[in-house]
Amino acid sequence: KNQVEQSPQSLIILEGKNCTLQCNYTVSPFSNLRWYKQDTGRGPVSLTIMTFSENTKSNGRYTATLDADTKQSSLHITASQLSDSASYICVVSALSSASKIIFGSGTRLSIRP
Amino acid sequence: NAGVTQTPKFQVLKTGQSMTLQCAQDMNHNSMYWYRQDPGMGLRLIYYSASEGTTDKGEVPNGYNVSRLNKREFSLRLESAAPSQTSVYFCASSGLINQPQHFGDGTRLSIL
């Protein structure tokens, strides 16, 4: 069964600290992995997308890594800011099929001043 | 700079009532999607349209119908609303099926 599991479910850190969010998946055949940020009351916004051949991609203070062998990804946030408070969703896509775009349930990140 | 626009933003219905959720995108995207988001769960695909003139079922299509009116617009219809359909509904679009999706800000629907 195609699944995407994220950990932790929620996380609280102090402003300025770094954090790492985890994503494990069993989606096959793998096409790409995306990280989205979802602010409260808004739709998800794409942060990064990685294909099989990419093992790291950055977007400002966000760095995503991918290990296709172990089927794991992480999202590292550096020097967190209050605006980073949001849910972060890992999404894994199988080859060319909308019905095989699998969303994780997200990690709820809260940044405290 | 609208992107994906959903209407309405909020709606309360009684069981058995019908309604249509509207979605429009201005990015000239081929593919459009409808998802529902429930607490503690990932987004689940209801229906999608890979291109104008086509629609296909997703993971949870029961109780819903869709219409791809033209390349810009993709509507979702609840014919006879049930309390189990209380959720936040998101419309999304992408250039092609496997490209990053752009989401609207959702319609919060409550069925009493």
Side-chain angles (χ1 to χ4, degrees):
Chain A
K1 182 180 178 182
N2 291 321
Q3 286 186 312
V4 175
E5 296 184 353
Q6 294 187 242
S7 62
Q9 283 190 324
S10 62
L11 182 63
I12 302 173
I13 64 172
L14 293 176
E15 185 179 11
K17 298 296 186 182
N18 304 335
C19 67
T20 300
L21 313 181
Q22 302 290 345
C23 173
N24 296 336
Y25 63 92
T26 59
V27 178
S28 176
F30 177 84
S31 177
N32 60 63
L33 184 145
R34 315 164 196 177
W35 283 94
Y36 284 84
K37 178 187 180 187
Q38 185 176 19
D39 292 315
T40 300
R42 305 298 299 273
V45 174
S46 180
L47 293 174
T48 64
I49 179 169
M50 290 182 290
T51 59
F52 185 88
S53 59
E54 298 173 297
N55 56 24
T56 187
K57 184 163 282 189
S58 292
N59 178 357
R61 293 179 296 102
Y62 301 102
T63 299
T65 64
L66 173 64
D67 186 334
D69 291 331
T70 62
K71 298 186 177 181
Q72 295 179 326
S73 176
S74 65
L75 180 69
H76 185 76
I77 304 175
T78 303
S80 60
Q81 300 176 358
L82 297 178
S83 60
D84 292 331
S85 293
S87 288
Y88 292 84
I89 303 172
C90 176
V91 184
V92 183
S93 176
L95 291 173
S96 300
S97 171
S99 61
K100 293 188 177 180
I101 300 173
I102 309 298
F103 287 73
S105 58
T107 292
R108 178 71 199 172
L109 177 64
S110 297
I111 311 299
R112 297 285 185 252
Chain B
N1 219 19
V4 178
T5 303
Q6 293 184 235
T7 56
K9 295 187 185 306
F10 302 92
Q11 185 70 48
V12 178
L13 294 177
K14 294 181 180 179
T15 298
Q17 287 185 315
S18 62
M19 80 161 295
T20 299
L21 309 185
Q22 306 288 352
C23 174
Q25 52 91 9
D26 62 2
M27 295 171 284
N28 200 34
H29 283 168
N30 290 302
S31 303
M32 297 186 74
Y33 317 77
W34 277 105
Y35 291 92
R36 60 179 289 173
Q37 187 176 38
D38 299 297
M41 301 181 70
L43 275 76
R44 291 182 293 168
L45 183 65
I46 304 171
Y47 272 93
Y48 68 99
S49 171
S51 60
E52 186 179 358
T54 70
T55 61
D56 286 286
K57 295 179 180 180
E59 180 184 356
V60 289
N62 291 345
Y64 306 95
N65 286 300
V66 290
S67 295
R68 184 75 183 266
L69 305 171
N70 48 55
K71 191 171 186 179
R72 291 186 63 249
E73 299 173 288
F74 189 38
S75 63
L76 178 72
R77 182 162 179 83
L78 286 71
E79 291 290 352
S80 179
S84 61
Q85 294 177 305
T86 293
S87 188
V88 182
Y89 291 85
F90 286 99
C91 177
S93 71
S94 63
L96 296 173
I97 282 291
N98 225 11
Q99 292 178 339
Q101 295 165 317
H102 297 254
F103 286 83
D105 281 337
T107 294
R108 284 142 188 85
L109 183 62
S110 294
I111 316 294
L112 305 178

